[in-house]
Amino acid sequence: DSGLLRAPGFGIRDSGFDLAIRGGTIVTSTGAFDGDVGIRAGRIAAIGADVGPAADTLDATGRLVMPGGIDAHCHIDQKSSSGLMTADDFYTGGVSAACGGTTTIVPFAAQHRGQPLRGVVDEYLERARGRAFVDYGVHVIVSDPSAPGFGADLPALLSGGFPSIKVYMTYDALRLDDGQMIAVFEAAASVGAIVMVHAENTHLVAWATGRLVRSGRTEPRHHPASRPALAEAEATGRAIALAEAVGASVFIVHVSCRESLESIVAARARGVRVFAETCPQYLLLNAADMDGPGFDMAKFVCSPPLRTPADQEALWEALGAGHLDLVASDHAPYRLRDPLGKLAHGEDAPFTKIPNGMPGLELRLPLLFSEGVRKGRLTLEQFVRLTATSPARIYGLSPRKGDIAVGADADVAIWNPDLTQVVSCDGLHDAMDYTPFEEWCVTGWPETTVARGEVIWHQGQVHGAPGRGQFLPRPPTTAPDDGAR
Ligand code: URP
Ligand code: ZN
Ligand code: ZN
């Protein structure tokens, strides 16, 4: 056995490849082995001990050759419900992704109340055209089922390349009530689409917020107390129950606490199709990190908020045990010292007025590698599954994306697992003026990123033009419900 695998229809070994990645340790979702990757016409054409001649070669000796990451939860080129644009668009966000080893993103086309859904999606695709730097799918945020044309637009989108939608259970301008959620779950279930849920009990958040505001505790440091873990856990349990009753697949985004994990684990044990993610900020930061005075702490304001060290530990355990499917960034880039960002209502604004979210596209993989793989909490294969293979499978990008496999797109990140660098905002490629991980010491970085066979990040340089990223229409990924329930 030469160890050489060939794609059906691909030529003989001597015909050569466009690009060969030689001598690295190839890490797939199921194993790691030393060898070469041969790339032709943007796809992986061979994997083996020695793939033979190629027009170009990347030497991967001493390096890890892993699938390019898929970030299935990031906000770019998106207007918030209060009218603020994210700082990153499809180009800056895509470059930042690529420099962090991510080759596919799935951001959100957000419906605001009254907007016809089809128009929202068309406009979003127009923003991507000519700007996208990495390949992208699009999730659709649904905030108004009473908008004109909704009843026809939703099923058409779900089965027409957009088989994943996100709904909110909180935020007054976005949230659906339980009845609306049931209707959306039913529409998704009928075509095998998946509903992503931002789960927080809005009334409990309003109550906790009111108490803080009435007692003058309105600095950013108080934001975590305004969104209790039980608000997240209650809504998580409710979303799962509604999905279970209707027969829908549900995906709980940005799980931050032990209590939410408990209802996810219990539902999975009884066979409910519930998927879930967490994000680096919930694994690596906690509320104590933002327990300081003044506006500066606004950089950590996100929802759900940062929790406790015990929650961090529970999330790491859940990742290791397979109770969480993937790690996404929830990149929500609002600049700190910018009136179009966190400063929208001034330095002294109460936390209720501060745009929610933090950046994370570029550091998602290095942070998870450094803190997860290097510290023995995750195996290399788990890292690959959590960051590439699972998002590809859950969101309909597989087998084209998400693994190193013959026939797949040649989306590959070549990692130096021993390179240590100190994080600084200046060294990142997004449009942000801060990173929540400033001065973190991170070991393990992607030195080269290849996307559809094209080297787009190498030796500290970005290569490739805006618009090189392609739209990825996706099929539904779960069995349609037969309505028998
Ligand atoms: O605080 C966050 N995460 N903002 C981004 C939007 C969302 O809810 O995912
Ligand atoms: Zn959310
Ligand atoms: Zn989000």
Side-chain angles (χ1 to χ4, degrees), residues 118-281:
R118 183 75 242 184
V120 166
V121 172
D122 287 344
E123 196 205 314
Y124 197 61
L125 293 175
E126 202 48 54
R127 290 178 166 283
R129 220 183 309 277
R131 290 292 289 169
F133 188 70
V134 295
D135 292 354
Y136 58 98
V138 172
H139 306 296
V140 183
I141 291 174
V142 169
S143 68
D144 186 3
S146 68
F150 185 86
D153 284 350
L154 181 63
L157 287 166
L158 289 173
S159 49
F162 307 87
S164 50
I165 55 176
K166 181 179 181 189
V167 300
Y168 286 82
M169 298 173 80
T170 188
Y171 296 136
D172 284 341
L174 292 172
R175 73 185 179 91
L176 302 190
D177 65 28
D178 289 356
Q180 292 170 317
M181 287 193 38
I182 290 168
V184 165
F185 279 141
E186 186 175 34
S190 69
V191 297
I194 194 164
V195 182
M196 307 161 76
V197 179
H198 177 128
E200 288 182 289
N201 181 308
T202 199
H203 303 292
L204 201 42
V205 168
W207 170 79
T209 303
R211 264 198 341 177
L212 290 163
V213 169
R214 280 193 301 280
S215 62
R217 288 171 288 173
T218 60
E219 280 196 322
R221 72 200 294 172
H222 297 296
H223 179 260
S226 75
R227 309 186 84 94
L230 280 173
E232 180 184 326
E234 187 282 329
T236 298
R238 181 157 38 101
I240 291 170
L242 299 180
E244 183 176 5
V246 173
S249 297
V250 62
F251 188 104
I252 308 297
V253 293
H254 46 46
V255 173
S256 74
C257 62
R258 181 180 51 76
E259 294 88 340
S260 293
L261 280 172
E262 283 169 2
S263 60
I264 290 163
V265 170
R268 285 160 80 114
R270 63 177 189 271
V272 186
R273 282 173 300 185
V274 46
F275 304 90
E277 71 181 13
T278 191
C279 315
Q281 54 270 35

Side-chain angles (χ1 to χ4, degrees), residues 73 75 166 254 330:
H73 183 165
H75 303 271
K166 181 179 181 189
H254 46 46
D330 196 10

Side-chain angles (χ1 to χ4, degrees), residues 19 21 26-27 37-45 65-70 101-105 133-136 365 384 388-389 392 397 399-405 407-415 448-456 468-470 472:
L19 175 66
I21 301 170
I26 299 165
V27 186
V37 176
I39 294 165
R40 190 186 291 119
R43 294 189 173 213
I44 296 173
V65 178
M66 300 207 272
I70 297 176
T102 289
T103 49
T104 300
I105 57 175
F133 188 70
V134 295
D135 292 354
Y136 58 98
L365 300 181
V384 163
T389 318
L397 295 163
R400 186 174 163 190
K401 306 286 192 188
D403 215 341
I404 305 266
D409 279 0
D411 294 350
V412 180
I414 304 175
W415 285 67
T448 303
T449 303
V450 177
R452 273 185 287 101
E454 193 182 339
V455 176
I456 59 174
R468 66 161 303 285
Q470 292 179 356
L472 302 165

Side-chain angles (χ1 to χ4, degrees), residues 298-303 330 332-334 342 354-359 434:
K299 64 171 76 137
F300 297 110
V301 168
C302 64
S303 297
D330 196 10
Y334 299 106
K342 298 269 185 186
I354 295 172
N356 285 197
M358 53 175 75
Y434 81 92

